[in-house]
Amino acid sequence: MVTVIPGSDLLTSALNVISQSLQIPVIIFLLAFAVFAVYIIGSLISEYSSHKKVPVKLVRDLIYRIANCEDINDIQGIIKNAPIQHSQKVVLIEIAKSKDLREDTRRALARKLFEEEQDKIEKNLQKTDIVTKIGPTLGLMGTLIPMGPGLAALGSGDVNTLASAIIVAFDTTVVGIGSGAVAYVAGKIRRRWYEQYLSNLDALADTVL
């Protein structure tokens, strides 16, 4: 027969209090993630409708036109009239205007502008990455936390408490996995768009230099 020492009971009680106190914060975060998942879907649809798909042929033609042009005003005109993203035009025009700087300074400026675009994209993707990783984890926590009291109630014959615990467990699991899945898909789609965006910007920036 195993004798349970008082210290063990105290530690077990402390763990139980900590785990049960996390249930409300977990549910609040899961509700926030669910709202964010709906927002992600809407923003992804909006971004897709305004997304400019720039084919390789168009980028190649722009590179030839810019490379064969020596006048800075003509280069700016080509960039302004090009069917590319507005943010790309801002970066390329800024690089074109720096023609009076030293070569190494121009390249440093171009690199800095390119890195700023990368930072903007990373900040945008961080939100979906967080939901992708944390959502299922919170869903699992929301599943396990209520099951402890539910199983304890089953031992005393309280089926209603167990039923309520199971409902909470299933709901939190669905919301956690669902929000994580939506964020994962949106992140993958956006990451593909942004990779093409940066690739085109890098090629055009080198040409302007």
Side-chain angles (χ1 to χ4, degrees), residues 3-16:
T3 303
V4 180
I5 59 175
S8 178
D9 284 339
L10 181 62
L11 293 175
T12 303
S13 300
L15 285 175
N16 182 63

Side-chain angles (χ1 to χ4, degrees), residues 65-78:
R65 290 178 63 190
I66 294 173
N68 294 326
C69 185
E70 297 182 357
D71 186 74
I72 183 62
N73 293 323
D74 291 340
I75 293 177
Q76 292 185 43
I78 293 173

Side-chain angles (χ1 to χ4, degrees), residues 119 121-132 191:
D119 290 339
I121 290 173
E122 286 299 323
K123 290 179 181 178
N124 198 9
L125 291 175
Q126 277 179 357
K127 300 175 183 178
T128 52
D129 290 342
I130 289 174
V131 177
T132 299
R191 188 166 273 105

Side-chain angles (χ1 to χ4, degrees), residues 91-160:
V91 173
L92 295 174
I93 290 175
E94 184 69 21
I95 295 173
K97 288 180 178 179
S98 66
K99 66 181 182 66
D100 294 330
L101 299 176
R102 295 202 316 265
E103 182 68 20
D104 57 341
T105 306
R106 292 190 72 201
R107 292 196 174 277
L109 174 63
R111 183 171 62 253
K112 182 60 178 178
L113 294 173
F114 185 81
E115 289 175 353
E116 286 183 358
E117 291 298 308
Q118 283 183 316
D119 290 339
K120 292 177 184 178
I121 290 173
E122 286 299 323
K123 290 179 181 178
N124 198 9
L125 291 175
Q126 277 179 357
K127 300 175 183 178
T128 52
D129 290 342
I130 289 174
V131 177
T132 299
K133 296 177 181 178
I134 305 300
T137 302
L138 291 179
L140 179 60
M141 291 178 64
T143 302
L144 297 177
I145 291 173
M147 290 305 296
L151 294 176
L154 178 63
S156 60
D158 188 357
V159 181
N160 292 330

